[in-house]
Amino acid sequence: MTQEKIYDALQGARTADKVTVYFKDGRFATGALIFNPFKGSGRVIDVDKETSIDFLIDTIRELKLA
């Protein structure tokens, strides 16, 4: 995905119940999404596992809504 498409997907995913974010380094995270478009950063929160991952938009390879 291009940076513009990822940005648009992040904007749309803010109201989704669950997202899966795939990172360029091979990691992925599934959970609720918090995204700050002004900083280009966000957090994926997995409530079941009680974990969260912070990210910058340029570290994302792909985003899927669950």
Side-chain angles (χ1 to χ4, degrees):
M1 295 178 82
T2 65
Q3 290 286 54
E4 294 81 18
K5 287 185 180 182
I6 290 171
Y7 181 86
D8 291 342
L10 287 167
Q11 287 287 88
R14 292 192 301 179
T15 58
D17 290 334
K18 194 179 268 191
V19 299
T20 302
V21 179
Y22 297 92
F23 298 98
K24 292 178 180 176
D25 64 3
R27 297 177 300 143
F28 70 93
T30 301
L33 177 73
I34 298 173
F35 177 58
N36 183 332
F38 299 108
K39 292 184 177 182
S41 64
R43 177 177 284 180
V44 179
I45 302 169
D46 186 335
V47 178
D48 297 329
K49 294 181 183 177
E50 297 180 0
T51 59
S52 65
I53 295 178
D54 294 330
F55 65 85
L56 296 173
I57 191 170
D58 60 352
T59 61
I60 297 175
R61 176 175 47 91
E62 188 176 358
L63 179 77
K64 293 187 179 182
L65 302 179

